[in-house]
Amino acid sequence: QSAADGILEDVKTIDYYSIPEDDRSGQRSGFEDRRLTQGRAEIAAFHVDRVLGFNRKVPSVGRVLTNHEFYAWNDTVSARYRRIQPTYEIPVSLTPWMADNHAGFPDEDIGFTLYLHEDKPLPKDKHALDYLRLVSDTLVFDYLVDDHDRHNTQNWRRGGGTKVLLWDSGLSFLHGPEGRRECELLMCGPRMWREHDPGYDDKHCEKICLFSRSTIERLRAFGDSEGAQELRDALDGSLRSDRLYPVFHLGLFRPYHRSAVTELAHFEARNFLDGMAVKIRK
């Protein structure tokens, strides 16, 4: 079996929507997932970025290497052992090196403006407004791909002047196809903004109220049943260009973590297409 057809072929694949709704949940599985499938999350997030028209994520593509190729330049004992084994395939994600980028965390004044605080009016400068739009779109994107890794400062990167990159999505789709209700807290922005609110805690925070008109219009176009099908088709069509299609099937989850069963499983790839439509409707 080709490695591109799945990771850990002894792990079963289940339909997320076959789980009773009260138990329906998913959690990326921890060590096994981080080591094996962060790359597929990068690829999937890249295609979401392109289909939804953000166009701010560095390309990620899937490829399949043999063990002889993958370990060719690794001289550790374990790598030398793997090189001499019979040929097998390893799915990988490739992302280009990008030197022209730097840290670009948006300070709390940006957050207060996006919260529409009275003492932080909208700037009149076009570049400042463009920057607000990019930051707002970043939070929308993180919600849609369920990426909680930008709540600190490390993954806020800028390149090409004020361009805010959608940087590092390896931990996206953290809670399965639809995410959880608490994923809406991603719309509160990074932790540094939240902590300036005297009433802040991890379950209650102020959400941004300022969005790009063009972003809202694009998402609303996918909001009804016809638009949702168009979104599924567009995302599926985009993913078909990748060597590891359908990509989503490579994720590892513990789908029943709210009950006693915590066995590893893959979710069906189509579940994530349906889940994206659900998140957009929300």
Side-chain angles (χ1 to χ4, degrees):
Q1 179 180 357
S2 167
D5 292 332
I7 291 178
L8 299 179
E9 58 188 46
D10 58 327
V11 174
K12 67 179 181 180
T13 296
I14 65 174
D15 180 357
Y16 176 80
Y17 292 101
S18 70
I19 303 172
E21 189 167 356
D22 288 345
D23 292 327
R24 189 180 297 162
S25 185
Q27 175 72 47
R28 285 180 59 167
S29 63
F31 177 82
E32 307 98 325
D33 176 71
R34 287 197 299 272
R35 297 301 184 191
L36 292 173
T37 66
Q38 278 200 29
R40 65 96 201 173
E42 287 285 358
I43 297 168
F46 166 69
H47 287 275
V48 171
D49 167 71
R50 291 308 193 264
V51 166
L52 294 181
F54 293 110
N55 298 316
R56 289 166 41 211
K57 186 154 183 59
V58 177
S60 292
V61 298
R63 294 292 184 267
V64 175
L65 303 177
T66 68
N67 53 313
H68 309 299
E69 295 166 332
F70 188 84
Y71 295 105
W73 305 103
N74 186 333
D75 263 345
T76 63
V77 173
S78 60
R80 290 199 299 269
Y81 171 77
R82 289 177 172 86
R83 281 203 301 266
I84 64 174
Q85 297 306 302
T87 301
Y88 60 90
E89 294 182 335
I90 303 172
V92 300
S93 169
L94 302 179
T95 301
W97 175 261
M98 186 175 178
D100 184 21
N101 74 88
H102 58 277
F105 181 77
D107 63 27
E108 58 268 21
D109 282 346
I110 295 293
F112 295 159
T113 303
L114 292 173
Y115 294 151
L116 292 182
H117 284 192
E118 290 183 1
D119 59 339
K120 296 295 178 184
L122 286 176
K124 296 181 180 180
D125 178 72
K126 180 182 183 302
H127 293 295
L129 284 170
D130 284 344
Y131 182 59
L132 280 173
R133 175 180 58 80
L134 292 172
V135 173
S136 175
D137 278 354
T138 299
L139 300 184
V140 172
F141 178 79
D142 284 351
Y143 167 71
L144 292 174
V145 300
D146 192 8
D147 187 351
H148 298 248
D149 206 26
R150 223 183 306 272
H151 66 283
N152 291 318
T153 62
Q154 70 272 16
N155 284 340
W156 288 91
R157 308 293 297 181
R158 293 170 68 171
T162 60
K163 189 77 166 180
V164 180
L165 301 172
L166 297 175
W167 188 264
D168 188 356
S169 302
L171 296 181
S172 57
F173 304 99
L174 182 65
H175 301 104
E178 285 188 16
R180 296 181 187 164
R181 181 176 295 278
E182 54 264 37
C183 294
E184 295 176 11
L185 298 180
L186 288 166
M187 300 307 300
C188 299
R191 184 178 297 275
M192 188 178 294
W193 297 1
R194 307 181 195 185
E195 290 176 346
H196 279 77
D197 181 351
Y200 162 77
D201 63 41
D202 282 334
K203 295 183 179 179
H204 303 89
C205 57
E206 189 172 5
K207 298 180 178 65
I208 66 170
C209 305
L210 190 64
F211 301 93
S212 162
R213 183 190 300 257
S214 60
T215 298
I216 294 301
E217 289 176 350
R218 284 200 308 274
L219 297 183
R220 281 178 174 168
F222 295 125
D224 59 19
S225 58
E226 184 177 341
Q229 188 58 52
E230 181 182 344
L231 172 65
R232 293 185 193 96
D233 292 344
L235 187 52
D236 183 68
S238 183
L239 288 164
R240 283 181 184 275
S241 67
D242 196 89
R243 174 66 174 81
L244 300 183
Y245 174 81
V247 179
F248 282 114
H249 70 304
L250 298 178
L252 292 168
F253 295 87
R254 300 223 180 248
Y256 299 101
H257 74 282
R258 291 179 181 172
S259 60
V261 182
T262 58
E263 59 194 280
L264 273 176
H266 303 295
F267 288 131
E268 293 183 2
R270 62 185 175 86
N271 295 158
F272 290 88
L273 306 183
D274 294 336
M276 184 63 60
V278 170
K279 286 184 280 189
I280 285 178
R281 283 199 303 273
K282 292 180 180 178

